[in-house]
Amino acid sequence: MNIAVFASGNGTNFEAIAKAIRRGYIKANLALLVCDNPAAFVIKRAKRLKIKSVLIDRNLFSTKNDFEKEIIRNLRKEKVSLIILAGFMRLLSPGFVALYRNKIINIHPAILPSFKGIDSIKKAYEYGCKVAGVTVHFVDEKTDHGPIILQEAVKIKTGMSLSGLERRIHRLEHKLYPLAVKLFVEGELKVRGRRVILLS
Ligand code: GAR
């Protein structure tokens, strides 16, 4: 199975998945990194890991449709059948989502449906939550919304700093995301409405 990762920033989740593939934990081919941000550090990670990447800068396209057409052209060229969003900070159009229905996965650093959008860890911390966490889900037309594949909580203990919580969340992301991708690749996930059934 050929996989593409879409990322806009640092790329630690991209690297966690790339390494999980390299060590044979996920039996798939990481065919392409799609990045929309010329300044993103993830491009350097791809180079270091010798993974093919393409920069598709939204600012160079007059419409979202043209931008997505160029993405689709690249995905078809690489025969991609699974898309992993890893800090990709753009909402895909309903047409794009329909084309890859239940074949796009996202990770979000919160227990959805709480704290959608950006700065979710900070928002949960500042709200005074006693738990934060990570959600991996299929992508639908709404932001941080589709059927949930995996979800795990992190306790926010008294005296824990925001940066300490961020570290815990990212460590959990780097465990949960490769696991979710592995389950998809092995055909272990079935989507029934809003619910994802784990077959094994
Ligand atoms: C991750 O924490 C991911 O959960 C978050 O962006 C970060 C990317 O980090 N995604 C969202 O907030 C999506 N709404 P990374 O570039 O180091 O993988």
Side-chain angles (χ1 to χ4, degrees):
M1 181 182 295
N2 287 340
I3 296 178
V5 174
F6 289 17
S8 307
N10 188 354
T12 63
N13 281 285
F14 162 76
E15 183 155 342
I17 287 166
K19 287 184 170 164
I21 288 176
R22 200 149 284 179
R23 65 172 191 272
Y25 177 69
I26 302 169
K27 291 182 180 45
N29 172 39
L30 183 40
L32 190 66
L33 166 73
V34 174
C35 181
D36 63 326
N37 170 14
F41 187 68
V42 69
I43 297 171
K44 293 202 175 78
R45 290 185 196 267
K47 210 164 274 169
R48 179 159 41 79
L49 292 161
K50 297 188 170 53
I51 290 160
K52 186 170 181 180
S53 69
V54 61
L55 172 64
I56 306 177
D57 185 348
R58 171 67 182 88
N59 298 320
L60 303 181
F61 296 85
S62 46
T63 66
K64 182 169 183 162
N65 191 40
D66 288 347
F67 167 68
E68 289 189 345
K69 264 193 190 154
E70 180 58 11
I71 295 179
I72 292 165
R73 195 182 66 76
N74 278 275
L75 296 177
R76 289 194 168 141
K77 200 165 80 184
E78 300 299 331
K79 299 186 167 51
V80 166
S81 48
L82 172 63
I83 297 168
I84 307 293
L85 307 185
F88 186 66
M89 292 310 188
R90 286 183 190 280
L91 183 62
L92 295 163
S93 72
F96 189 102
V97 172
L99 199 59
Y100 291 95
R101 172 78 56 202
N102 295 336
K103 291 186 176 123
I104 312 173
I105 300 178
N106 183 43
I107 191 158
H108 186 69
I111 298 291
L112 289 175
S114 293
F115 304 110
K116 295 176 179 170
I118 59 166
D119 293 334
S120 308
I121 306 173
K122 189 162 177 257
K123 283 178 192 157
Y125 184 83
E126 286 177 353
Y127 194 88
C129 290
K130 300 293 186 196
V131 291
V134 172
T135 306
V136 182
H137 65 95
F138 283 109
V139 168
D140 66 9
E141 288 73 10
K142 298 182 194 162
T143 304
D144 301 324
H145 180 266
I148 292 170
I149 300 169
L150 296 173
Q151 195 166 49
E152 206 172 304
V154 168
K155 275 199 175 140
I156 306 178
K157 296 198 180 119
T158 309
M160 194 184 235
S161 66
L162 173 58
S163 60
L165 176 62
E166 283 168 342
R167 267 196 306 279
R168 290 283 313 276
I169 295 276
H170 293 311
R171 209 181 314 139
L172 179 58
E173 287 191 317
H174 302 157
K175 182 189 87 173
L176 282 193
Y177 217 179
L179 173 58
V181 175
K182 178 186 168 73
L183 291 169
F184 182 96
V185 167
E186 293 178 358
E188 297 287 342
L189 306 177
K190 270 261 163 325
V191 184
R192 301 247 168 79
R194 272 217 57 86
R195 219 162 278 283
V196 177
I197 318 274
L198 295 183
L199 295 178
S200 58

